[in-house]
Amino acid sequence: MNIINRLISKIIQFFLGSEYERRSSAMAKEKEAGVYVGEPATKARNFEDDYHAATNMLRMRMDRSFPDNFHARLGSGKNSPYDHGEDRALAVDTTSTAIALALRNGATVKQAAEAGAESVGI
């Protein structure tokens, strides 16, 4: 009985499995050729590309206003260093949220970068 169940499952897998393999290999070939683009992939890729472009536009302004782990003295007579790392981390969180919201609401890359800059006052 056990051998018959295995034989039946192998036959079903042979017929149905080859159909799924053909379908998946056809989709892979279309994706490689640039013909097939699914709707969710297009939205995610465009949002991600726009998000990275906006953050790259804003990076130089962020570096000037929020140095990366730059230690500086608070006053002329004081000898205590100040770590800007926490300020930068908060600013990056705030700008990335503003950029993402602006892009989700239909803003262009430049408008999203400006929204991120305005969110931290630069």
Side-chain angles (χ1 to χ4, degrees), residues 4 7 24 28 33-34 37 44 49 61 63 67 77 79 83 86 92 108 114 119 121:
I4 295 174
L7 184 62
S24 65
V37 178
D49 290 343
R61 291 168 69 179
D63 289 342
N79 195 15
D83 186 6
E86 287 184 33
V92 167
T108 64
E114 289 300 320
S119 69

Side-chain angles (χ1 to χ4, degrees), residues 84-94:
H84 289 276
E86 287 184 33
D87 295 339
R88 183 179 175 91
L90 290 173
V92 167
D93 287 344
T94 304

Side-chain angles (χ1 to χ4, degrees), residues 7-109:
L7 184 62
I8 291 172
S9 68
K10 289 289 185 182
I11 291 172
I12 291 172
Q13 184 181 12
F14 175 74
F15 287 114
L16 294 179
S18 62
E19 178 186 342
Y20 291 127
E21 286 177 24
R22 281 192 304 254
R23 189 180 307 156
S24 65
S25 64
M27 284 183 359
K29 286 179 184 176
E30 288 176 356
K31 283 184 181 181
E32 287 176 1
V35 177
Y36 174 82
V37 178
E39 186 64 31
T42 303
K43 285 186 176 183
R45 185 179 61 220
N46 287 340
F47 174 79
E48 191 171 317
D49 290 343
D50 291 348
Y51 177 80
H52 287 299
T55 55
N56 286 336
M57 291 174 78
L58 192 56
R59 181 170 290 151
M60 282 211 281
R61 291 168 69 179
M62 288 285 291
D63 289 342
R64 280 184 298 215
S65 298
F66 299 99
D68 190 19
N69 288 332
F70 181 74
H71 295 277
R73 293 193 174 135
L74 293 176
S76 61
K78 298 180 181 174
N79 195 15
S80 59
Y82 183 72
D83 186 6
H84 289 276
E86 287 184 33
D87 295 339
R88 183 179 175 91
L90 290 173
V92 167
D93 287 344
T94 304
T95 57
S96 64
T97 302
I99 289 171
L101 286 173
L103 289 173
R104 291 285 182 205
N105 290 331
T108 64
V109 173

